Amino acid sequence: MIRAATPRDVPEIRAMIRELAEYEKALEQARAGEEQLCEALFGEHPAAFVLIAEDDENGQVVGFALWFPRFSTWTGTRGMHLEDLFVRPQARGGGYGKALLASLAALCREKGYERFEWWVLAWNEPTIGFYKSLGVEFLDEWRVCRLSGEPLDALASLAPVTRSEV
């Protein structure tokens, strides 16, 4: 079963985020706490949304997909960015990943989103193969850019004073 997450799912979502980070060899980077996640997902202005995959037989949470809307200046429409997709190892091959992606694709269509995009680590061949089986287009000409930590602070310090109109 695929369903929308609720606030009581936050501990399980956090646990799966950490499991995903461990799989991606970056556990030390998964610092979000339960309070942060609860506010980000269920606060007054949610930053992201989550679908939960449950085992139909025992009700166990076996996976999740965390996404947020994005906007294309070229199409003038919103799209969907999938930040995390994770299915626990013992449940892989059971169709949960495909069901989560299909549910997100249906949500895109329902909301009129023209694009559904995400990133995958270049070394993650099993996942890349899975995505290829679904007909995913890989945009090799694009590179992901990230600015964080000291370089982000350094660039921010160069910003001119801006006035905000209320």
Side-chain angles (χ1 to χ4, degrees):
M1 176 174 76
I2 306 299
R3 64 173 176 79
T6 68
R8 71 177 177 273
D9 292 310
V10 168
E12 201 73 64
I13 293 167
R14 182 173 184 270
M16 288 187 289
I17 289 169
R18 294 186 56 77
E19 291 169 41
L20 173 60
E22 186 172 29
Y23 173 75
E24 293 183 350
K25 302 167 182 60
L27 183 57
E28 71 284 350
Q29 295 176 40
R31 299 184 319 257
E34 288 183 22
E35 282 185 34
Q36 281 179 298
L37 290 170
C38 197
E39 178 61 29
L41 301 173
F42 304 105
E44 188 175 341
H45 301 287
F49 305 91
V50 174
L51 292 181
I52 296 289
E54 288 182 345
D55 184 300
D56 287 332
E57 292 180 19
N58 61 24
Q60 295 268 331
V61 173
V62 295
F64 82 108
L66 187 146
W67 68 275
F68 53 86
R70 53 187 311 160
F71 180 78
S72 170
T73 57
W74 289 21
T75 66
T77 61
R78 286 185 180 221
M80 177 182 288
H81 177 80
L82 174 61
E83 179 67 16
D84 286 331
L85 174 70
F86 181 73
V87 175
R88 288 183 158 139
Q90 67 274 16
R92 291 183 189 152
Y96 298 106
K98 189 173 188 176
L100 283 164
L101 288 171
S103 295
L104 292 172
L107 192 57
C108 283
R109 288 300 184 215
E110 176 185 313
K111 293 181 171 290
Y113 294 174
E114 289 189 25
R115 294 179 178 168
F116 177 20
E117 299 174 327
W118 64 92
W119 305 334
V120 62
L121 289 166
W123 58 259
N124 195 343
E125 289 299 327
T127 301
I128 290 169
F130 169 61
Y131 292 155
K132 284 182 179 177
S133 77
L134 299 175
V136 169
E137 174 187 8
F138 289 85
L139 304 177
D140 294 331
E141 68 274 13
W142 289 90
R143 302 282 310 263
V144 175
C145 299
R146 177 177 292 156
L147 199 55
S148 62
E150 289 181 26
L152 176 62
D153 294 341
L155 184 58
S157 73
L158 301 176
V161 175
T162 57
R163 288 194 286 196
S164 85
E165 307 271 336
V166 178

